Amino acid sequence: MSSSTEYPPDAPAPAATPAEVRRVAVASLVGTSIEWYDFFIYGLAAVIVFRGQFFPGASPLAGTLAALGTFAVGFLARPIGGVVFGHLGDRIGRKRTLVTTLVSMGVATALIGVLPNFAQIGVAAPILLVLLRVVQGLAVGGEWGGAVLISVEHAPENRRGLYGSFPQLGVPIGLITSNLVFLVLAATLSDEQFTSWGWRIPFLVSAALVAVGLYVRLKVTESPEFVAAAAAAKAAPSMRLPIITVARDHWPQVLCGIGIFAGITTMGYMAATFAIQYGTATLGLPNTFMISAVLVAALLEIPLSLYFSSLSDRIGRHRMILFGAVSTGLVAIVFLPLLATAVPVVVFIAVVLGRTGAAPMYGPSAAVAAEAFPVEVRYSGASIGYQLGSVLGGALAPIIATLLLASAAGVWGVSVYLTFMVVLAGIGTVVAGRLQARTAAVPAA
């Protein structure tokens, strides 16, 4: 490992000042919000316009699955990004790695905004689209772990739930800004203008946002815990590849993270992405209505996440996440039946419940993931658990739900599937709590 600041090998991690803690939390929030804006505008474009732009010859079902498939590719790349950037984050530091992920995401997103469609360059168009989506996935795969860790590692132990939730808020904020941009464009452009060139505007806006994010992110200090750990590192063989140490010594914690985040992201993406596609293509509801429902849900998610994250610092983070698993499980049972009514008010309620039901899980889960691993492998371990869970949840959930609805299982088959995924989160939470208690009970050598 290396760092620009050195401390004696036996020195404790220097405490960050309250001002530094707040500055780092805000910087993490800004950076992750931009990253998730980029990630979500792709999801919106995939369910609204990509079928016609990049898969014009496919049947409606095949075209929808192809567009959702390119969306899922980003998730499949995220674990690889978690490994690559997790290694860099554990070796060269959280700050420099986060700058790299932000630039990578911004460049890929802007290039999608100028990408020719199928009518212009043929099959090369969807191929290039997939490649750029892979870069987006790699960047997000590295972003989450670093943003969470640099916030958690600056924060005092009794406030890690709250400050760890700031990077998590990047998801609803990214969801809000991406949906708001599409909503404004849909209201000001004709359908022909939007599908022809208007959909490119949100991607091009990313270039300006990334410049702002870089300005903020370059001003933060490196994580004190990382600096101290870097100074104490003896370059043991196991530390040359942190992911090897994680796989050998901390795989139970990784499995718990996978379960927790699979449950969280399943409901989150069903409400944020699948609901728009299902509501517009199957139920015949207007794009503006469905996007507005997601927008309101994301707005409510922010204060709820902050409240439950702060509460978790007082009553216990694992206990709060378990409570969230129960609340989300109840929502999972009724989400699709409510959505399938096609009654606008009921659909609106379903989308809001789908996003906000998991708020007790979502905020505190960042600190839980960080605290599950030692500092020297924390970036790799937390990232892998989160990203693999996101693949099982966010990437596959819209596709599995689409296939189940087209089968004999129908609406209630989707409900069973969603409930099962949330149960995994509850199991992961219980086991993670026991592992942490067991580790704390072992006396230091």
Side-chain angles (χ1 to χ4, degrees), residues 2 25 63 136-138 150 197 212 233 244 250 265 278 291 293 303 321 366:
S2 64
Q136 281 193 322
L138 293 173
I150 204 166
W197 54 267
V212 174
I244 300 300
H250 306 288
T265 56
Y278 182 71
I291 293 175
I321 296 174

Side-chain angles (χ1 to χ4, degrees), residues 69-131:
T70 67
F71 179 66
V73 164
F75 285 88
L76 297 177
R78 282 168 60 174
I80 301 173
V83 172
V84 173
F85 290 110
H87 172 80
L88 293 175
D90 284 328
R91 297 287 291 169
I92 68 173
R94 285 57 163 133
K95 177 179 175 178
R96 282 188 280 178
T97 304
L98 285 170
V99 169
T100 304
T101 61
L102 185 59
V103 172
S104 300
M105 173 63 90
V107 170
T109 304
L111 288 176
I112 292 174
V114 296
L115 182 65
N117 61 20
F118 188 92
Q120 294 169 316
I121 60 172
V123 71
I127 292 175
L128 291 173
L129 180 67
V130 169
L131 291 176

Side-chain angles (χ1 to χ4, degrees), residues 202-215:
F203 291 90
L204 297 175
V205 168
S206 175
L209 295 178
V210 167
V212 174
L214 279 175
Y215 175 79

Side-chain angles (χ1 to χ4, degrees), residues 94 98 140-151 370 378-379 382-383 386-387:
R94 285 57 163 133
L98 285 170
V140 168
E143 167 71 20
W144 181 87
V148 164
L149 296 190
I150 204 166
S151 292
R378 187 173 284 165
Y379 203 137
S383 294
Y386 177 81
Q387 302 305 341

Side-chain angles (χ1 to χ4, degrees), residues 46-203:
V47 299
I48 295 175
V49 299
F50 278 0
R51 186 181 72 187
Q53 291 289 316
F54 295 97
F55 308 98
S59 67
L61 178 59
T64 298
L65 289 175
L68 289 174
T70 67
F71 179 66
V73 164
F75 285 88
L76 297 177
R78 282 168 60 174
I80 301 173
V83 172
V84 173
F85 290 110
H87 172 80
L88 293 175
D90 284 328
R91 297 287 291 169
I92 68 173
R94 285 57 163 133
K95 177 179 175 178
R96 282 188 280 178
T97 304
L98 285 170
V99 169
T100 304
T101 61
L102 185 59
V103 172
S104 300
M105 173 63 90
V107 170
T109 304
L111 288 176
I112 292 174
V114 296
L115 182 65
N117 61 20
F118 188 92
Q120 294 169 316
I121 60 172
V123 71
I127 292 175
L128 291 173
L129 180 67
V130 169
L131 291 176
L132 291 172
R133 181 59 174 173
V134 167
V135 176
Q136 281 193 322
L138 293 173
V140 168
E143 167 71 20
W144 181 87
V148 164
L149 296 190
I150 204 166
S151 292
V152 169
E153 291 173 353
H154 274 85
E157 281 194 34
N158 65 343
R159 303 295 282 168
R160 284 182 165 182
L162 174 61
Y163 283 109
S165 70
F166 273 72
Q168 298 285 72
L169 296 181
V171 173
I173 291 175
L175 190 59
I176 290 167
T177 52
S178 60
N179 278 272
L180 192 58
V181 169
F182 268 86
L183 194 62
V184 170
L185 290 173
T188 56
L189 300 177
S190 67
D191 288 344
E192 182 180 355
Q193 289 173 323
F194 181 78
T195 56
S196 176
W197 54 267
W199 65 270
R200 298 180 181 274
I201 294 175
F203 291 90

